Amino acid sequence: MKSLAQLKSEIEAAVTGARLEILPNPAVPAQSSLRVDPAQASAVARFLRDTPQLQFDFCSNVTGVDWPERTEKVKLKQVVDGAEQEIEETRSSLGFLEVVYHLYSVALKDGPLILRQRTVNRSDDCRVASLTPIWRSCEFQEREVFDLFGVQFTDHPDLRRILMWDGFVDHPMRKDYVEPDDYEYEPTPHDEVLERAQQHYPTQEAST
Amino acid sequence: MIDEGLKNELAKQGVFVTSLQELYNWGRSNSVWPLSFGLACCAIEMMAASMARFDISRFGSEVFRPSPRQADLMIVAGTVTKKMAPQVVRLYNQMPEPKYVIAMGACAISGGPFKQGYNVLKGIDRFLPVDVHIPGCPPRPEALLHALITLQKKIAGESLTGPDRRRHLDPTAPSEFPVPEFGAHDLVPPRNDAVWRPVPLIRPT
Amino acid sequence: MNLPAQRAASFQPRYTPNGTEQDGELLEISLGPQHPSTHGVFRMDATLDGEQVVKLKPVCGYLHRNHEKIAEGASYLAAMPYTDRLDYFCSLTSNWAYALTVEKLAGLAVPERAEYLRIITAELTRVQNHACVCGFLLQDMGALGTPLMYAFREREKVLDLFESLTGARMMCNYLRFGGCRNDAPAGWLDAVSQLVASFPQFLDEFEALLTTNEILLARTQGIGPLTPELAINAGLTGPLLRAAGVNYDLRKVDRYGFYDRFEFRIPLGDHGDVYDRYMIRVLEMRESLKILEQALKSIPTGPVMDPKAKLRGFRPKAGEAYGRLESPKGELGFYLISDGGPNPYRYRIRPPSFINLTLLEDMCLGRPLADVVVILGSIDIVMGEVDR
């Protein structure tokens, strides 16, 4: 398969307005990914599918990933009033939801090419482009990402919940989901299950 | 009841003596027809129990009825999820009395390995009265046969009259249970407190 | 293969979007979730015009057991028993797919004997899965249980082998990252050879009873055909894709394990209909037996676990990996994102049964209701995998 840098320049040349970003993968460098903007994702996908030299005709896997906001304290050395001091700076990165597509080429026995789309944030603007019109295999998987993460896919033909029931309100695979408090009875609890059990069953003295 | 010695003596002479209760229970216990209701992996072991090697039909459960109206026994085999729970209770309500429930596998007893799931009902006994529980993940087909034999013994020991008579002969006992609805975060109600009675725990401080 | 532009224009999926206006004369029925022939808790909302299907929407999620969320809260090794319960017919291939992905993520090597044992158990799994699928398909068609009894008889022999090797009939939990949990006990390989030698007799018996049976031919030929372009675009994999004529088997394409040391053919179909899928499964069973014979002859001695592999306190470095293999249902893939901690940050399963259901509606439109059951049986779904 071509290197990601080559692919990136080809795609940027062919699709107007596309700006891609290569995200390296430290564990498996051969599976590094290309990040694409939701606005051009559809056009990029169509290019990848229809170009005879690439022919990525098979979208194997669509995954949702939740990256919540992170605040990290970073120690920096800065020059203040002529003297070098170590200052702690709090950096916060914006949270977002990400959709990862694994593409393969059945005709050329090639792949995987990994595309990523990111939402703007996790709260009010969670829209990305749906790639179902290009690869029909994304249909159910994008519905699942909508169901479990809350990502809205524009141009999806039938976006509704698939695994949870229709009246369900939360998006359970998010990192900040609080599951319902429905298992109190636990014979040998520990950690947070013990805390919850102690709320339901007041502790009594063990009669020896 | 009749004296066992007298019964044996008469049997040697070719006279068969019984009581209505024994006869009634004997007929019922030896032809328990299960509902074909497999949810997950335990269903495969239930199928294996009905196949040639383990052969549940030796014990009277020859036919697995597809329709709840014709079944006596519901073997809840597999994880009951919250999405499926109303359907399970509805199927139970559709079964005619006398009806029994076997909770097969760790998931049907208490949620099993999937206990931490947001969509997993932590045991079918939160909504339905269970007669026999089979531990295992999945329990072997022999364990299911053992459970069936245990159920048969339980049925054979049921009384027709008196305060501890079977539910279907007691006009005050319910035979249908309320079906839970889908709520925004969980089932509504999350459990049926008339049915689910966990053992009270005393925790040392 | 034609040029992609022509292909893209040529396939037109038939699909009714949700919410279209329906005439009051049509009958809406719900097949499932408790139904003898829906292969588990699966529901189809069908709209019928007389006997013909006008609209069919699959509804799943009745067995959504939150496997992915639970695995994010557990360590990498603790998720291994959950992979058994994913596709509960084929626990060993699910174990292998997960072990493959973690080994890719962490850069672990697997000793030769372990790879051979993995291949032997995977092919045994494939053989018993395909036998049972053929049995279930025939049960759905009305042969109330007899082919299934024969198939389960063979399955019990394979499960006996699994029990003596791994300790459990179905939930084997046998693979570890870097090899297998334990070596085969003495005499196990001979027992496998005996099974492999006697299996073709069962296949011949099965085929003699079924393959030229006129009821089977009438009910499966021409039902639910698929074009190769549509099959690839919809992400179908496994016997469904090969029945449509596409030569894509991950054992030959990715060459994971030591599959490139063995000689075996990939059967392909012409029409993509139910009969082709049934025949491909029967032929794949024969090819698996060939692989098993070759593997049993050439299995080396040696350790079954990588000595450098760490089982406790396993923390692969940060990064991600996608690993896939050819399970009996199709392409089973795992996508893991690690943040350097003991638990995976994101654990995703690419379920072949779920994605193979994408074209269920397309295949069923215009057909009578009885064919819906046959088509569903030929897709070979396992709800543990569809819903996870």
Side-chain angles (χ1 to χ4, degrees):
Chain A
M1 200 172 84
K2 294 187 187 164
S3 74
L4 274 184
Q6 253 187 308
L7 268 175
K8 176 173 183 278
S9 46
E10 270 186 42
I11 297 172
E12 283 177 350
V15 179
T16 48
R19 282 169 304 108
L20 306 175
E21 189 192 331
I22 295 183
L23 298 166
N25 177 0
V28 185
Q31 290 189 358
S32 304
S33 25
L34 276 180
R35 182 185 152 196
V36 62
D37 265 340
Q40 292 92 27
S42 222
V44 170
R46 214 171 280 276
F47 170 74
L48 287 170
R49 187 189 72 177
D50 295 339
T51 314
Q53 295 87 13
L54 299 175
Q55 281 191 52
F56 282 108
D57 47 6
F58 174 50
C59 177
S60 168
N61 182 30
V62 178
T63 312
V65 193
D66 183 19
W67 299 101
E69 288 93 8
R70 267 183 318 174
T71 44
E72 358 174 71
K73 289 200 163 62
V74 180
K75 284 195 169 60
L76 294 172
K77 283 194 170 64
Q78 270 192 357
V79 178
V80 175
D81 296 333
E84 209 176 87
Q85 278 186 356
E86 216 180 67
I87 300 184
E88 230 183 45
E89 202 180 80
T90 316
R91 280 212 191 124
S92 66
S93 51
L94 201 56
F96 54 89
L97 298 164
E98 195 177 41
V99 185
V100 185
Y101 295 82
H102 284 81
L103 307 173
Y104 283 84
S105 172
V106 171
L108 303 176
K109 306 246 191 302
D110 206 7
L113 171 64
I114 304 172
L115 282 185
R116 295 176 115 90
Q117 290 189 67
R118 286 187 185 166
T119 62
V120 172
N121 57 35
R122 292 169 82 237
S123 43
D124 48 337
D125 190 358
C126 303
R127 289 166 305 157
V128 297
S130 165
L131 301 187
T132 303
I134 297 119
W135 292 294
R136 185 91 184 274
S137 58
C138 302
E139 186 190 333
F140 283 5
Q141 299 185 78
E142 284 179 350
R143 273 177 69 182
E144 185 191 330
V145 175
F146 164 67
D147 185 359
L148 300 179
F149 286 90
V151 177
Q152 305 268 347
F153 289 91
T154 50
D155 300 328
H156 191 280
D158 183 13
L159 194 66
R160 45 189 175 109
R161 285 190 180 262
I162 190 167
L163 291 177
M164 301 304 294
W165 59 86
D166 287 325
F168 198 72
V169 160
D170 304 313
H171 297 290
M173 283 293 285
R174 291 200 180 189
K175 297 286 178 186
D176 53 0
Y177 171 69
V178 178
E179 50 185 41
D181 183 13
D182 66 346
Y183 57 108
E184 325 79 359
Y185 176 59
E186 182 68 50
T188 53
H190 49 90
D191 301 345
E192 58 265 1
V193 179
L194 177 61
E195 282 168 23
R196 190 167 34 191
Q198 280 167 341
Q199 283 167 8
H200 289 280
Y201 286 91
T203 51
Q204 302 170 28
E205 291 292 329
S207 49
T208 40
Chain B
M1 289 296 128
I2 306 158
D3 178 39
E4 282 297 315
L6 181 61
K7 245 178 147 168
N8 289 337
E9 278 301 314
L10 286 170
K12 285 191 202 132
Q13 303 298 323
V15 178
F16 177 56
V17 180
T18 184
S19 68
L20 186 64
Q21 176 175 309
E22 269 182 42
L23 193 63
Y24 181 69
N25 288 338
W26 174 75
R28 283 195 307 136
S29 63
N30 287 318
S31 70
V32 182
W33 285 0
L35 176 67
S36 56
F37 185 57
L39 293 168
C41 347
C42 285
I44 311 298
E45 290 293 45
M46 189 170 74
M47 276 188 245
S50 70
M51 289 290 153
R53 183 186 269 198
F54 298 105
D55 201 12
I56 205 172
S57 64
R58 299 178 274 171
F59 299 98
S61 305
E62 164 78 47
V63 277
F64 275 69
R65 310 306 298 161
S67 162
R69 303 280 187 201
Q70 301 166 354
D72 308 305
L73 168 67
M74 186 160 85
I75 305 179
V76 182
T79 321
V80 189
T81 55
K82 293 181 184 171
K83 193 167 178 179
M84 188 65 194
Q87 272 64 269
V88 178
V89 181
R90 228 175 249 138
L91 280 168
Y92 183 78
N93 289 347
Q94 287 176 352
M95 285 165 69
E97 285 280 7
K99 53 190 173 183
Y100 301 91
V101 175
I102 290 183
M104 177 175 181
C107 290
I109 296 176
S110 69
F114 299 99
K115 191 158 185 156
Q116 289 166 294
Y118 48 84
N119 191 30
V120 174
L121 186 68
K122 320 293 191 264
I124 189 62
D125 53 0
R126 290 195 173 218
F127 286 108
L128 299 178
V130 174
D131 295 291
V132 183
H133 302 259
I134 317 178
C137 188
R140 286 188 64 107
E142 288 103 326
L144 178 60
L145 296 175
H146 178 58
L148 187 62
I149 294 170
T150 311
L151 182 68
Q152 288 177 347
K153 287 194 191 135
K154 182 175 172 174
I155 298 175
E158 280 174 354
S159 62
L160 300 184
T161 53
D164 55 345
R165 61 184 183 278
R166 178 70 196 150
R167 200 171 67 216
H168 69 284
L169 297 165
D170 181 0
T172 56
S175 64
E176 296 195 4
F177 294 93
V179 177
E181 311 253 320
F182 292 131
H185 305 278
D186 195 357
L187 287 175
V188 170
R191 62 187 172 277
N192 183 350
D193 286 314
V195 173
W196 190 57
R197 286 190 199 99
V199 174
L201 289 175
I202 300 178
R203 295 198 191 284
T205 44
Chain C
M1 280 237 149
N2 304 332
L3 279 180
Q6 286 176 353
R7 281 184 7 226
S10 69
F11 73 80
Q12 287 302 326
R14 301 187 307 161
Y15 171 83
T16 53
N18 206 33
T20 47
E21 292 298 318
Q22 292 291 353
D23 197 317
E25 302 267 313
L26 301 174
L27 176 66
E28 287 186 24
I29 62 172
S30 160
L31 282 149
Q34 188 262 347
H35 192 278
S37 36
T38 53
H39 297 269
V41 282
F42 179 62
R43 184 170 136 221
M44 292 182 274
D45 281 335
T47 309
L48 303 177
D49 175 14
E51 187 80 21
Q52 277 194 349
V53 172
V54 164
K55 179 170 148 174
L56 186 111
K57 293 291 170 197
V59 181
C60 49
Y62 290 100
L63 199 62
H64 180 51
R65 295 185 284 195
N66 326 130
H67 177 173
E68 297 184 356
K69 186 93 185 177
I70 292 174
E72 282 178 15
S75 66
Y76 284 87
L77 192 59
M80 184 64 91
Y82 287 96
T83 60
D84 285 329
R85 288 147 178 90
L86 190 61
D87 174 359
Y88 31 83
F89 266 98
C90 318
S91 66
L92 283 158
T93 44
S94 314
N95 281 352
W96 191 2
Y98 181 50
L100 193 77
T101 311
V102 174
E103 283 154 11
K104 202 180 264 200
L105 181 66
L108 296 170
V110 179
E112 266 200 40
R113 188 174 169 88
E115 282 285 17
Y116 271 79
L117 281 172
R118 287 178 176 190
I119 291 175
I120 291 172
T121 47
E123 294 308 314
L124 282 171
T125 310
R126 196 182 311 272
V127 157
Q128 59 90 20
N129 177 72
H130 285 335
C132 293
V133 168
C134 296
F136 281 122
L137 177 65
L138 282 141
Q139 189 185 30
D140 289 346
M141 276 194 258
L144 287 174
T146 308
L148 191 60
M149 290 259 183
Y150 280 55
F152 262 74
R153 183 189 72 190
E154 302 307 313
R155 186 182 131 91
E156 292 291 336
K157 292 181 192 158
V158 175
L159 291 185
D160 280 343
L161 289 173
F162 286 165
E163 194 177 0
S164 59
L165 176 68
T166 70
R169 283 154 53 96
M170 269 167 64
M171 309 304 174
C172 299
N173 189 15
Y174 175 57
L175 300 186
R176 298 286 178 265
F177 313 131
C180 303
R181 193 178 87 218
N182 55 279
D183 202 351
W188 190 77
L189 292 167
D190 294 324
V192 179
S193 311
Q194 275 176 349
L195 177 76
V196 170
S198 66
F199 211 86
Q201 191 192 19
F202 156 72
L203 277 180
D204 293 333
E205 188 185 36
F206 208 66
E207 280 205 85
L209 290 171
L210 293 173
T211 304
T212 48
N213 183 315
E214 64 182 316
I215 300 179
L216 178 79
L217 293 175
R219 285 207 70 177
T220 58
Q221 284 188 328
I223 311 290
L226 283 176
T227 55
E229 297 80 27
L230 187 55
I232 298 174
N233 189 267
L236 265 49
T237 48
L240 265 76
L241 186 64
R242 294 192 284 279
V246 180
N247 185 358
Y248 197 67
D249 183 325
L250 296 179
R251 295 175 289 175
K252 295 272 197 200
V253 169
D254 282 355
R255 295 201 298 270
Y256 60 92
F258 289 141
Y259 276 108
D260 45 358
R261 293 189 190 179
F262 304 122
E263 253 190 60
F264 61 101
R265 296 175 301 173
I266 305 294
L268 295 177
D270 298 315
H271 309 281
D273 59 7
V274 174
Y275 185 68
D276 279 352
R277 291 172 210 153
Y278 160 77
M279 276 312 298
I280 291 215
R281 291 197 172 102
V282 171
L283 292 171
E284 277 190 7
M285 277 198 270
R286 293 195 192 270
E287 298 299 322
S288 292
L289 292 172
K290 253 196 251 175
I291 300 178
L292 277 168
E293 275 169 21
Q294 295 169 55
L296 287 166
K297 264 205 286 269
S298 53
I299 180 169
T301 51
V304 289
M305 193 71 199
D306 182 11
K308 288 199 295 287
K310 220 161 57 120
L311 281 179
R312 298 196 185 277
F314 179 64
R315 283 167 197 259
K317 59 179 182 178
E320 60 179 51
Y322 179 68
R324 61 184 194 161
L325 59 67
E326 180 78 23
S327 88
K329 310 281 194 294
E331 171 186 329
L332 174 62
F334 276 81
Y335 176 54
L336 291 170
I337 301 185
S338 157
D339 56 354
N343 301 352
Y345 184 81
R346 175 76 172 102
Y347 171 103
R348 151 88 184 165
I349 303 151
R350 188 255 183 219
S353 307
F354 185 53
I355 297 167
N356 287 351
L357 280 174
T358 310
L359 290 183
L360 180 65
E361 188 176 12
D362 289 58
M363 288 194 275
C364 293
L365 284 179
R367 305 224 68 90
L369 189 62
D371 286 344
V372 171
V373 167
V374 172
I375 291 171
L376 184 66
S378 73
I379 298 181
D380 185 13
I381 57 169
V382 161
M383 291 318 288
E385 200 171 55
V386 172
D387 294 333
R388 284 152 282 134

